[in-house]
Amino acid sequence: AAGMFLRLLSDIQWRAAHPRWRRVTGSQRSTSTTAEPHPFSLPAQAQVVICGGGIMGTSVAYHLSKMGWKDIVLLEQGRLAAGTTRFCAGIVSTARPVSIELKMAHYSNKLYQQLEQETGVQTGYMKTGSISLAQTQDRLISLKRIASSLNVMGIPCEIISPKKVLQLHPLINIHDLVGAMYVPEDALVSSANVSLALATAASRNGVQIHERTSVSHVTIQKGRVTGVETDRGRIQCEYFVNCAGQWAYELGHSGEEPVHIPLHACEHFYLLTHPLQEPLSSNLPTIVDPDGRIYIRNWQGGILSGGFEKNPKPLFTEGRNQLEIQNLQEDWDHFGPLLSALLRRMPGLEALQIMQLVNCPESFTPDMRCIMGESPTARGYFVLAGMNSAGISYGGGAGKFLAEWIVNGYPSENVWPLDLKRFGTLQSSRTFLRHRVMEVMPLMYDLKVPRWDFQTGRQLRTSPLYDRLDAQGARWMEKHGFERVKYFVPPGSDLLDLDHSKTFYKPDWFDIVGSEVKCCKEAVCVIDMSSFTKFEISSTGDQALESLQYLFSNDLDVPVGHVVHTGMLNEKGGYENDCSIARLSKRSFFMISPTDQQVHCWAWLKNHLPDDSNLVLEDVTWKYTALNLIGPRAVDVLSELSYAPMTAEHFPSLFCKEMSVGYANGIRVMSITHTGEPGFVLYIPIEYALHVYNEVMNMGQKYGIRNAGYYALRSLRIEKFFAFWGQDLDAFTTPMECGREFQVKLDKGVEFLGQEVLLEQKQNGVYKRFTMFILEDHDTDMDLWPWWGEPIFRNGRYVGKTTSSAYSYTLERHVCLGFVHHFDEKTGEELVVTTDFINQGEYEIDIAGQRFQAKAKLYPFSSLFTQRRRKDEVELSGYQRE
């Protein structure tokens, strides 16, 4: 290891002393280095093997070694930092719309700042700041929303005028700007040198690094990683980390048991120029001009400028076996629009001499968020890849979170938005990925307003009722590849306007959703909820009940036919899943979970259920179409269709029964609607779906039945203070923190996962509390709307963020849900949040920098408020638990 370290260190020192090393040797390395002898043999075994010597692989190695793990081998098929990392523009930007990405970038910035001092390797770190430009008011609003998040995290950030932009960067043309966002602590680095510095520190801590070593496949036995096969022999290991960048997809599919890692490479272009006559200052801020689709940074007295064009060029769809990434062909015609945007933004560059147009591959994912986490099918197989051109910004933080995940079993933050298990096998089609990344790459700089939808890769998973609903004016969104209805456009409406309704203000669908909500409250609506994840768990004896009692927090030992709403908790008491479970028989259970739980929940149950052939877990999502009948007249419709009494005496709340509906048998009817409104969900074998839907709609005509979509459902559930997993609940939120103590069997004498933490919280209190906010001085027609992620202020101090929000058509006000924390004013330490703390504060919600007064409550409105009232008649103190 010592010899390895010295060789690596001398190589790094030479590279650091020769900044042009990658240009001098890059063209020769793929031929000459392959013939060089390997100075050290591979170890026969290791605890962790990391594949990939770019910024991600070296960051994971660095952080694992910092956490005390030493038995680590890092393998790189070429030379360290010679892949995408080598070509990275080196911009470290914290201005990210997703909270976890913002935290990763912030940590990376702090890490890189001290890395040179720690390792002695020059990283080129320079704190220049960045300026994001806005050519439109909507763009400025989006920047203001990001600025609000940065400020409450303690990251300096301000919205500035075009004149201030000119002061900070005198070469910028400001004539078409309406404002900008300035983040003074953003930085520039040499990406390759950062990677080499991380490798140096990891090597000093005992990590073995082997270049010119290719991984052919990972061996998996009984669902666990057992070793790695390379071109230099086999290494036995417990953990494997796929940091292979654009090759991660191929590597995942190389073994007998594939690991699906949905990413795809595109060509990414940037321009390098010779120094200006008066060379640019090295601390000049980086410019991001998303409306012009370009970024501009200082580079050795000249500039480096690239962007995300509207017509990207996907790469390697058929796969390639290529070691180090050679510079791809220049394509000036393709780069033309970005060059025009650059010259418009910096007209003084007209006479500047261009040095090179760099064309390098960059990998993108189906939802523009990176991929990290453990494979759902192979224990010990971890992934960190698909950085969507933000690898250097995320590298430090992503490596830290993945190292924590490997060592502790979970990271220190909620990383669900980045978890590999948010995808299924359906997103791994090469055709899907090729088409989706052609949409994703331009979206990097497109203006993304709330509730926008991807257009590619659609109509992949559909309900049997899709065509029927589409013909009735359904407007669709996609969740986990499943098409779901947003709302239904009434006949005669302007369809074009609605399809292009993109705004941060009151949307064009406002009245349509309002009429659907009204129908849910006064008559009956049908919502197709077939996308929900559906599992059946059964056993020959009591194994199913005993196992589920341990894995779920609520008591499932209930009479047959009862439905239990329960959390599936981790050892920290946090929600891995939030679901409804019906007891179909003494030995059989039917479990309903959110749509995006299909892969995650399956993996969790498989990993935690005993290995018992008498215990069967089956995914029946595809077997059933689900129709949600919501409203007071749902009982009349079902009574007439089934010739069975459906009133509360005969069919109580949270009850499940197999019934006939129309001609169809075997329909599972549950008295639950996921909204707090009366009604039923019908789980219909798919072959009967169309028949039952037609029968319901025909019978419901006299009761005023109509179709409705998920936007109406969202409004109903939020005004009833219903938390949803993935939006409000996550693996770091416990039942005690969201007012669900009544769904926990603490007093039943039954042991369950997470019990100790909940008992402690019951005794000592909680450090955050799920709270409902009603905006008081907010004008729905004129003011910006809250959507999610808005900072919450109590008595002028930041206490948390909203997790979801919707307009309540009942209260005629906006309702936001979110968590309130209690930070000590002097030390910042988290304190217990009491009911009095919630009730005695004055609250404001920050929407893009503008604060609106809000009333906070811990319980929803009583049923007295179900009829609509005028705003000035609503007394906001009338709350009680439902």
Side-chain angles (χ1 to χ4, degrees):
M4 176 68 189
F5 166 66
L6 290 172
R7 185 183 71 79
L8 179 64
L9 184 60
S10 64
D11 192 23
I12 288 168
Q13 287 171 340
W14 177 82
R15 297 187 204 188
H18 299 80
R20 296 166 63 87
W21 66 271
R22 53 189 181 279
R23 289 177 55 210
V24 172
T25 63
S27 60
Q28 305 166 352
R29 192 173 299 121
S30 63
T31 54
S32 65
T33 58
T34 52
E36 293 176 22
H38 294 283
F40 301 101
S41 60
L42 292 182
Q45 63 183 54
Q47 188 175 15
V48 184
V49 173
I50 301 168
C51 175
I55 185 68
M56 294 301 149
T58 54
S59 179
V60 172
Y62 171 87
H63 286 96
L64 282 172
S65 67
K66 284 280 186 182
M67 296 180 74
W69 283 28
K70 308 296 184 187
D71 189 12
I72 300 165
V73 175
L74 188 152
L75 306 177
E76 163 55 47
Q77 64 176 348
R79 297 290 292 269
L80 286 177
T84 301
T85 300
R86 164 187 164 200
F87 289 99
C88 181
I91 300 168
V92 184
S93 167
T94 52
R96 307 286 167 181
V98 180
S99 176
I100 186 65
E101 293 178 342
L102 193 160
K103 290 175 181 176
M104 290 196 308
H106 183 45
Y107 172 84
S108 298
N109 196 341
K110 290 192 294 183
L111 173 67
Y112 303 158
Q113 194 169 353
Q114 54 85 35
L115 201 55
E116 188 170 321
Q117 183 180 353
E118 179 186 344
T119 64
V121 178
Q122 291 184 0
T123 59
Y125 184 91
M126 173 69 70
K127 192 174 285 187
T128 60
S130 71
I131 304 172
S132 298
L133 309 179
Q135 296 182 28
T136 66
Q137 287 297 333
D138 271 352
R139 177 70 68 182
L140 190 59
I141 290 166
S142 72
L143 294 178
K144 287 178 177 177
R145 288 179 63 89
I146 293 171
S148 293
S149 294
L150 289 171
N151 282 323
V152 296
M153 276 194 65
I155 301 171
C157 173
E158 60 178 315
I159 299 296
I160 60 175
S161 67
K163 284 185 179 178
K164 183 67 182 290
V165 173
L166 195 59
Q167 290 173 17
L168 291 166
H169 201 306
L171 296 178
I172 293 297
N173 173 14
I174 63 168
H175 79 279
D176 57 348
L177 302 183
V178 296
M181 177 177 70
Y182 177 45
V183 185
E185 292 190 355
D186 278 357
L188 297 176
V189 294
S190 162
S191 306
N193 285 8
V194 167
S195 189
L196 295 170
L198 291 167
T200 300
S203 187
R204 285 175 182 165
N205 283 330
V207 175
Q208 294 187 54
I209 298 175
H210 294 265
E211 297 179 305
R212 303 187 309 283
T213 306
S214 296
V215 175
S216 59
H217 67 273
V218 180
T219 55
I220 297 166
Q221 293 178 4
K222 295 182 179 179
R224 288 202 72 95
V225 167
T226 58
V228 177
E229 296 288 349
T230 79
D231 58 353
R232 295 173 57 198
R234 174 180 168 81
I235 306 175
Q236 285 186 301
C237 64
E238 296 175 52
Y239 300 95
F240 175 74
V241 188
N242 184 338
C243 296
Q246 62 177 321
W247 314 123
Y249 177 97
E250 277 79 12
L251 180 56
H253 280 77
S254 63
E256 291 181 8
E257 299 181 42
V259 173
H260 301 285
I261 305 167
L263 53 79
H264 196 294
C266 280
E267 296 183 28
H268 179 56
F269 296 87
Y270 61 78
L271 186 75
L272 297 174
T273 77
H274 288 285
L276 278 70
Q277 280 188 335
E278 186 178 329
L280 289 179
S281 166
S282 61
N283 60 358
L284 210 58
T286 297
I287 298 295
V288 179
D289 183 5
D291 296 312
R293 314 194 73 81
I294 56 169
Y295 57 83
I296 309 164
R297 58 154 286 191
N298 166 67
W299 186 76
Q300 298 181 7
I303 67 156
L304 181 160
S305 178
F308 299 99
E309 63 274 23
K310 289 185 177 181
N311 55 333
K313 298 167 69 175
L315 268 176
F316 309 142
T317 301
E318 69 283 4
R320 290 282 171 88
N321 183 20
Q322 177 177 324
L323 291 187
E324 295 166 34
I325 301 165
Q326 304 307 310
N327 201 0
L328 301 166
Q329 294 299 308
E330 292 184 346
D331 188 339
W332 284 103
D333 290 339
H334 192 78
F335 192 72
L338 299 182
L339 180 59
S340 298
L342 170 63
L343 295 176
R344 279 195 303 273
R345 188 56 59 211
M346 294 180 73
L349 300 182
E350 287 279 5
L352 194 60
Q353 189 178 358
I354 291 169
M355 180 185 294
Q356 187 182 7
L357 179 62
V358 178
N359 176 4
C360 61
E362 179 68 65
S363 57
F364 295 86
T365 64
D367 61 0
M368 294 188 296
R369 299 197 299 267
C370 73
I371 296 172
M372 70 161 61
E374 190 174 18
S375 160
T377 55
R379 300 298 303 274
Y381 192 121
F382 285 83
V383 178
L384 185 57
M387 292 298 135
N388 300 283
S389 204
I392 195 65
S393 291
Y394 297 155
K400 172 179 181 283
F401 288 144
L402 196 78
E404 291 171 344
W405 206 331
I406 294 169
V407 173
N408 302 326
Y410 48 84
S412 57
E413 295 278 353
N414 172 36
V415 296
W416 170 249
L418 314 177
D419 195 327
L420 171 63
K421 292 185 283 293
R422 73 187 187 272
F423 296 119
T425 56
L426 56 97
Q427 284 98 352
S428 283
S429 151
R430 291 305 267 173
T431 306
F432 167 84
L433 288 170
R434 182 181 176 89
H435 291 175
R436 176 56 67 87
V437 297
M438 290 175 72
E439 179 183 13
V440 159
M441 194 169 164
L443 275 169
M444 300 301 295
Y445 276 175
D446 278 353
L447 181 67
K448 292 176 283 293
V449 298
R451 302 193 189 174
W452 59 274
D453 301 295
F454 288 108
Q455 301 303 308
T456 53
R458 297 293 298 271
Q459 298 180 33
L460 191 56
R461 302 173 72 197
T462 60
S463 157
L465 305 177
Y466 180 87
D467 289 339
R468 185 92 164 78
L469 301 177
D470 197 56
Q472 296 178 77
R475 287 294 171 269
W476 302 92
M477 60 182 178
E478 171 254 334
K479 181 94 168 191
H480 201 64
F482 216 116
E483 296 294 328
R484 313 204 301 183
V485 181
K486 295 189 279 191
Y487 50 80
F488 286 83
V489 179
S493 296
D494 189 333
L495 307 187
L496 196 64
D497 276 0
L498 279 163
D499 284 345
H500 294 86
S501 170
K502 295 181 178 179
T503 179
F504 290 99
Y505 290 89
K506 179 181 176 180
D508 290 346
W509 45 255
F510 179 81
D511 291 331
I512 292 174
V513 174
S515 63
E516 292 180 5
V517 168
K518 186 173 190 288
C519 188
C520 288
K521 298 246 179 209
E522 298 175 0
V524 57
C525 276
V526 179
I527 302 180
D528 184 344
M529 296 179 65
S530 303
S531 68
F532 271 22
T533 298
K534 299 172 276 287
F535 293 162
E536 286 183 9
I537 304 104
S538 57
S539 59
T540 54
D542 293 333
Q543 300 96 326
L545 176 63
E546 289 170 1
S547 301
L548 296 182
Q549 282 285 66
Y550 178 69
L551 292 180
F552 292 87
S553 59
N554 209 344
D555 188 7
L556 295 175
D557 193 4
V558 294
V560 171
H562 283 245
V563 181
V564 176
H565 192 192
T566 180
M568 182 174 81
L569 309 184
N570 54 39
E571 61 189 32
K572 304 184 302 299
Y575 280 96
E576 292 294 335
N577 186 10
D578 180 43
C579 54
S580 301
I581 298 180
R583 191 168 194 180
L584 301 179
S585 70
K586 287 199 169 186
R587 297 168 180 173
S588 175
F589 296 84
F590 185 50
M591 176 179 171
I592 312 298
S593 305
T595 303
D596 50 5
Q597 274 279 2
Q598 190 165 13
V599 177
H600 172 72
C601 182
W602 179 268
W604 181 269
L605 289 174
K606 277 291 186 183
N607 291 337
H608 288 81
L609 287 172
D611 187 10
D612 185 343
S613 59
N614 296 313
L615 182 63
V616 178
L617 171 66
E618 184 183 3
D619 186 344
V620 295
T621 300
W622 62 275
K623 287 187 175 181
Y624 293 95
T625 296
L627 291 182
N628 195 352
L629 270 63
I630 304 177
R633 307 313 296 266
V635 62
D636 300 306
V637 174
L638 265 190
S639 292
E640 292 201 39
L641 278 174
S642 61
Y643 290 97
M646 302 296 293
T647 55
E649 309 89 70
H650 300 92
F651 209 111
S653 180
L654 294 175
F655 196 69
C656 176
K657 187 177 179 182
E658 278 207 359
M659 300 176 62
S660 299
V661 178
Y663 297 153
N665 286 320
I667 314 286
R668 292 176 183 173
V669 179
M670 292 191 196
S671 46
I672 183 174
T673 64
H674 308 283
T675 63
E677 300 295 330
F680 306 88
V681 180
L682 280 58
Y683 290 95
I684 309 159
I686 56 169
E687 63 267 32
Y688 299 147
L690 202 55
H691 167 74
V692 173
Y693 173 78
N694 290 336
E695 290 289 298
V696 166
M697 294 304 287
N698 291 336
M699 184 62 71
Q701 290 300 318
K702 60 185 175 185
Y703 299 110
I705 199 167
R706 66 178 289 171
N707 292 299
Y710 272 81
Y711 283 10
L713 185 92
R714 183 186 183 91
S715 175
L716 290 168
R717 73 98 176 165
I718 287 176
E719 75 176 19
K720 284 290 173 67
F721 203 15
F722 275 32
F724 268 27
W725 191 90
Q727 297 171 42
D728 311 300
L729 308 178
D730 58 41
F732 289 79
T733 303
T734 74
M736 300 301 189
E737 295 164 344
C738 59
R740 293 188 172 182
E741 302 95 317
F742 63 96
Q743 291 181 4
V744 179
K745 54 184 177 230
L746 286 177
D747 55 352
K748 296 289 178 73
V750 180
E751 185 183 352
F752 63 92
L753 197 59
Q755 185 175 19
E756 296 82 1
V757 174
L758 301 191
L759 285 168
E760 183 184 337
Q761 287 188 334
K762 184 176 183 180
Q763 183 174 345
N764 300 329
V766 295
Y767 291 91
K768 63 178 180 181
R769 193 76 185 268
F770 194 50
T771 309
M772 180 181 192
F773 298 93
I774 293 86
L775 297 190
E776 295 197 292
D777 59 346
H778 183 270
D779 187 320
T780 304
D781 295 318
M782 302 302 294
D783 289 327
L784 286 168
W785 275 30
W787 296 96
W788 58 272
E790 290 85 12
I792 303 165
F793 290 85
R794 178 187 181 276
N795 298 345
R797 293 178 60 85
Y798 171 69
V799 291
K801 282 188 175 183
T802 64
T803 51
S804 56
S805 63
Y807 182 79
S808 166
Y809 295 89
T810 308
L811 305 175
E812 296 186 339
R813 300 180 191 219
H814 259 97
V815 177
C816 300
L817 309 181
F819 286 91
V820 171
H821 300 251
H822 184 185
F823 301 108
D824 185 277
E825 293 191 15
K826 293 178 181 175
T827 65
E829 178 190 0
E830 283 204 77
L831 305 174
V832 169
V833 178
T834 63
T835 303
D836 284 346
F837 179 82
I838 299 287
N839 291 336
Q840 292 172 7
E842 296 289 328
Y843 291 89
E844 294 170 304
I845 307 292
D846 179 320
I847 306 175
Q850 184 178 356
R851 295 189 189 181
F852 295 90
Q853 291 181 358
K855 190 83 171 180
K857 288 294 173 182
L858 290 169
Y859 305 110
F861 281 98
S862 72
S863 55
L864 295 174
F865 286 85
T866 50
Q867 69 258 29
R868 286 173 61 123
R869 298 185 177 190
R870 294 177 56 82
K871 286 184 189 177
D872 51 11
E873 293 174 355
V874 176
E875 175 54 55
L876 287 178
S877 61
Y879 285 83
Q880 65 184 49
R881 179 187 295 279
E882 285 224 310

